[in-house]
Amino acid sequence: VVRKNKPVNLISASKDSLDFWVEKMVQYGIRGYYGKGGLTKDEANRHYADAALQLYRRYLEPALRDVSDNSELLIVPDGTLWQIPFDALLTERPADIHNFNTHPFLIKKYRTSLHYSGTLIRRLHYPTRRLKAPNSLLAMAPFAQSGLSLKTSDISGIQRGGTLLDQLKYSGPEVDSVAKWWKVSPLRDTNASVEAFLRLAPLHRILLLSTQAASNSDDGKLGWLALSAGNGQFVKIYAHEIYGL
């Protein structure tokens, strides 16, 4: 835990214990009744209330004892922590576990936000180069009209085949409406290509990419988003390639 003008606060955590409480909250609590957990509503609510409070008390409260209410918490989770809906943690035991309107959620006490990487936060605040992009918005929707199949060899050169991603039928109207407001022309379907993105992205201050994507909890650099490669195909551009622009 890092705070401005404060020493780093290290909180020890057993992975097995953390995994237990996260599973109890998410799988048995949040999804226990409304998902496929097969639990009664009472059982699920009890699992949730117990785990949401324990996660807060074990891993957040020790670092927040001298932090005033309504302070901003910037959370950079990793591994199992990505499964936690931090806003829904409980700072106290609820008086009625079935009345969620009265639950003391973390978001009622602090202003929380999530980020993927501490390194990226630093780059945003202290960029190595400061370029003023001349254009406002770049809007792209490669799946507006149809689904696309993965190109035999994507931009990393690795052979990958057989993957088909579906059409995103609302992505076209989305980029059209936003682009109209900014008075720019969106790039759709084959025009929303990886070549166009790599060429144009550094020249725009805002990027709107209405496309298919996936994160990678084991290695954040391997998260990717899909852009058109033409001929009904797409390629993946990876997080580390985007951050290098």
Side-chain angles (χ1 to χ4, degrees):
V1 180
V2 180
R3 288 171 292 170
K4 188 175 182 179
N5 300 323
K6 296 283 186 178
V8 174
N9 188 354
L10 297 178
I11 300 173
S12 61
S14 162
K15 185 178 185 303
D16 290 340
S17 177
L18 177 61
D19 289 346
F20 170 81
W21 289 112
V22 171
E23 183 179 31
K24 185 178 177 68
M25 177 183 177
V26 177
Q27 299 299 330
Y28 296 101
I30 297 174
R31 300 173 183 166
Y33 175 74
Y34 292 102
K36 297 181 180 179
L39 302 179
T40 65
K41 184 181 291 187
D42 179 73
E43 290 172 330
N45 288 349
R46 291 186 186 280
H47 280 300
Y48 168 74
D50 289 344
L53 180 61
Q54 286 297 322
L55 285 168
Y56 171 75
R57 285 182 172 174
R58 288 167 178 259
Y59 307 113
L60 282 183
E61 189 177 36
L64 299 176
R65 286 174 180 153
D66 59 348
V67 176
S68 60
D69 291 359
N70 202 38
S71 295
E72 182 180 2
L73 304 182
L74 177 58
I75 301 171
V76 185
D78 188 28
T80 303
L81 295 174
W82 270 113
Q83 300 180 43
I84 301 176
F86 285 92
D87 289 344
L89 294 181
L90 299 176
T91 58
E92 300 175 7
R93 186 167 296 280
D96 181 357
I97 64 170
H98 305 299
N99 186 358
F100 288 88
N101 290 328
T102 62
H103 276 23
F105 294 118
L106 182 73
I107 196 173
K108 292 183 178 180
K109 191 172 183 179
Y110 301 103
R111 294 173 290 122
T112 64
S113 58
L114 297 179
H115 206 288
Y116 292 101
S117 164
T119 301
L120 292 178
I121 295 174
R122 181 172 179 81
R123 286 187 181 180
L124 288 173
H125 287 283
Y126 306 101
T128 55
R129 56 177 181 171
R130 293 183 178 272
L131 299 179
K132 291 185 177 180
N135 303 309
S136 58
L137 173 75
L138 174 63
M140 306 182 76
F143 292 84
Q145 292 297 322
S146 65
L148 301 174
S149 60
L150 184 62
K151 191 175 180 180
T152 304
S153 176
D154 63 17
I155 59 176
S156 69
I158 300 175
Q159 296 296 316
R160 311 168 189 269
T163 301
L164 176 65
L165 297 181
D166 294 334
Q167 174 194 12
L168 299 175
K169 65 178 181 179
Y170 296 111
S171 63
E174 177 188 20
V175 296
D176 287 346
S177 61
V178 176
K180 182 179 180 180
W181 193 80
W182 282 91
K183 298 180 180 179
V184 299
S185 299
L187 300 180
R188 300 172 46 152
D189 305 309
T190 56
N191 290 325
S193 66
V194 66
E195 291 81 9
F197 174 78
L198 294 174
R199 176 170 49 85
L200 297 173
L203 303 178
H204 292 77
R205 297 188 297 276
I206 303 171
L207 304 179
L208 171 57
L209 306 175
S210 188
T211 183
Q212 301 272 14
S215 62
N216 188 310
S217 59
D218 295 323
D219 188 343
K221 297 189 299 296
L222 298 181
W224 56 267
L225 57 83
L227 294 168
S228 174
N231 299 317
Q233 296 180 312
F234 74 89
V235 293
K236 298 176 182 178
I237 181 168
Y238 292 89
H240 65 89
E241 296 169 313
I242 297 172
Y243 296 145
L245 295 176

